[in-house]
Amino acid sequence: METLDPQETAYRALHGEREALEQALTLAQQRQRFGDDDDSEAARHSETALLKDLDRVMTLIRAAEIRRSQPKARRWQ
């Protein structure tokens, strides 16, 4: 069995969260297109929240990728 360091585990978890958010966004977009008025409005609100969460996760992924590519780079406090 492969043993992962904590940073690699966190990196993979972020990608799992990204994938789940992307699937939820797809569903919200489909509900907007094909749902009734109430469902469509709820889906719009859901989409807004999901996009904010996706932006947060993508920022964390980009930071993790930089740390992976430059492990000895200076960190700003």
Side-chain angles (χ1 to χ4, degrees):
M1 184 167 122
E2 181 183 7
T3 303
L4 299 176
D5 67 69
Q7 284 187 339
E8 183 67 19
T9 301
Y11 180 74
R12 290 185 182 191
L14 285 170
H15 275 286
E17 188 175 352
R18 175 197 50 80
E19 185 177 341
L21 286 167
E22 288 173 346
Q23 289 175 355
L25 270 169
T26 299
L27 180 60
Q29 290 166 349
Q30 290 174 349
R31 286 175 44 215
Q32 286 180 53
R33 292 176 94 188
F34 304 113
D36 61 26
D37 288 341
D38 291 337
D39 191 40
S40 182
E41 184 64 27
R44 269 191 284 285
H45 291 293
S46 177
E47 181 184 33
T48 300
L50 290 166
L51 285 170
K52 287 178 185 176
D53 287 343
L54 182 60
D55 181 57
R56 175 188 55 80
V57 169
M58 292 302 297
T59 299
L60 292 171
I61 288 172
R62 284 190 291 275
E65 287 173 346
I66 290 170
R67 282 192 301 274
R68 289 163 58 108
S69 68
Q70 301 171 356
K72 296 185 187 233
R74 181 176 176 185
R75 303 281 187 254
W76 294 97
Q77 299 293 331

